[in-house]
Amino acid sequence: MLGPNRYGKAETRLVRVHRDGDSHGLVDFNVSVALSGDLTATHLTGDNSGVLPTDTMKNTVYAFAKEHGVGEPETFALLLARHFVSSQPQVHAAKVSVESFVWDRLGPHSFRKRGDHVRTTVVHVSSETVQVVSGVTGLVLLNSTDSEFHGFVEDGYTTLKPATDRILATAVDARWRHTGDDTDWAASHAGAMDALVKAFVGTYSYSLQQTLYAMGARVIEDRPEIAEVRLALPNKHHYLADLSPFGLDNPGEVFIAGDRPYGLIEGSVSRDDAPAATAEWWL
Ligand SMILES: O=c1[nH]c(=O)c2[nH]c(=O)[nH]c2[nH]1
């Protein structure tokens, strides 16, 4: 029996220049489309009469970028998702994901790509429901103190020493689900980012788990349009270098930046009255 299925064009790379006079605007997106609906025939018999080619989806991304311009990623994703659901009767739901790469302006037509985090958007549209999820990935943060970790379980395999002053560092992977589908997306994203960063900076931490909850709670407190936040926080361990063989003291100054393995702390924080999600949206 054929199970759940969907199909689409993944990772269409779109760069849109808005030539408004001498000062140009630049938008740099990676757009993925996934459609689901009445697609049994193509799987079971190869009857493609209900299959909109993924090549057409890619073309639609570029044509819409020209015809409608490209503003906020949420707006562009909603436009595309609604188009596929409303124009193709056999398509019952569309998921459009956008990775948005930020370029800082250097001049009227010159830009420098920001190397760190990527803004993300995933919208799900069906004939009855709309769900908008915004987020960020690869936002690297570090506190060089105000972090402790002790009081943990110790069994026969535990070697970790309690820490009363350590580096706490992570690369934030966060998604947040909006209550509605009509918000000032730019202001909302900037506000959520600000809340995440301020909570990381301002929390005296006894575990990355505690910091995770503080970050999610701060977003929920600051942003009424957001129903739920999901966070995946790798614990980017920094190990104190042992300099005693060289007769050197090392009171929290020289560290070895660890790579793998890393702790991975994941969790969700939601508003008490958050409406239920209408589509799956795990990280
Ligand atoms: O903040 C932390 N949480 C943990 O669960 C954990 N486990 C560990 O070894 N180090 C840490 N640090």
Side-chain angles (χ1 to χ4, degrees), residues 148-149 152 160 166 168 205-209 235 237 263 265:
E148 307 187 16
F149 185 66
F152 43 78
L160 186 71
R166 65 173 185 172
L168 186 67
S205 176
Y206 292 92
S207 66
L208 186 52
Q209 288 88 331
N235 194 351
H237 303 298
I265 312 300

